Amino acid sequence: MVLQQILIFLGYPIWWGDLPMGVYTFLERENLAGKTIIPFCTHEGSGLGNTERFIAESTKAKVLPGLEMRGCKAQNSQTEAKAEMEEWIKKSLADIK
């Protein structure tokens, strides 16, 4: 028997150090227990905050280390942001195997 692992990349902006309400609603409504979530966010100083811990506790999912990126970098240094994101995705996928 082959078990498929469900992998979810969850992206969101950090608003005042927290998840947007729409993301809270998504996490409450979906059954994500047993799945793997890889969070990523844009922010202007708070990083991921406590969002990784909250996601893990509220969903009972496995949460891998997330990527936090300043919004100004994502907007103004797109080549650098893309390279950082690609490297993080490669590392995240390698951590799953």
Side-chain angles (χ1 to χ4, degrees):
M1 173 173 33
V2 176
L3 296 176
Q4 284 188 328
Q5 181 175 9
I6 296 181
L7 178 63
I8 300 164
F9 282 87
L10 180 65
Y12 47 89
I14 294 289
W15 291 348
W16 294 100
D18 204 357
L19 295 166
M21 291 308 296
V23 177
Y24 277 109
T25 301
F26 170 76
L27 295 173
E28 289 170 2
R29 289 187 179 170
E30 297 299 318
N31 178 6
L32 302 173
K35 296 171 177 67
T36 300
I37 299 175
I38 305 176
F40 63 99
C41 75
T42 56
H43 68 94
E44 284 305 328
S46 355
L48 283 158
N50 291 320
T51 61
E52 291 170 309
R53 182 180 51 78
F54 173 80
I55 293 166
E57 290 173 359
S58 66
T59 63
K60 305 302 183 231
K62 176 181 178 182
V63 178
L64 296 182
L67 172 72
E68 53 90 9
M69 183 178 296
R70 286 198 176 258
C72 59
K73 179 193 281 186
Q75 184 174 11
N76 300 322
S77 303
Q78 293 176 2
T79 302
E80 181 183 346
K82 180 181 177 193
E84 185 177 329
M85 185 88 157
E86 288 172 347
E87 184 62 32
W88 170 75
I89 290 170
K90 286 178 191 173
K91 183 181 181 324
S92 296
L93 294 177
D95 288 346
I96 294 171
K97 296 177 182 178

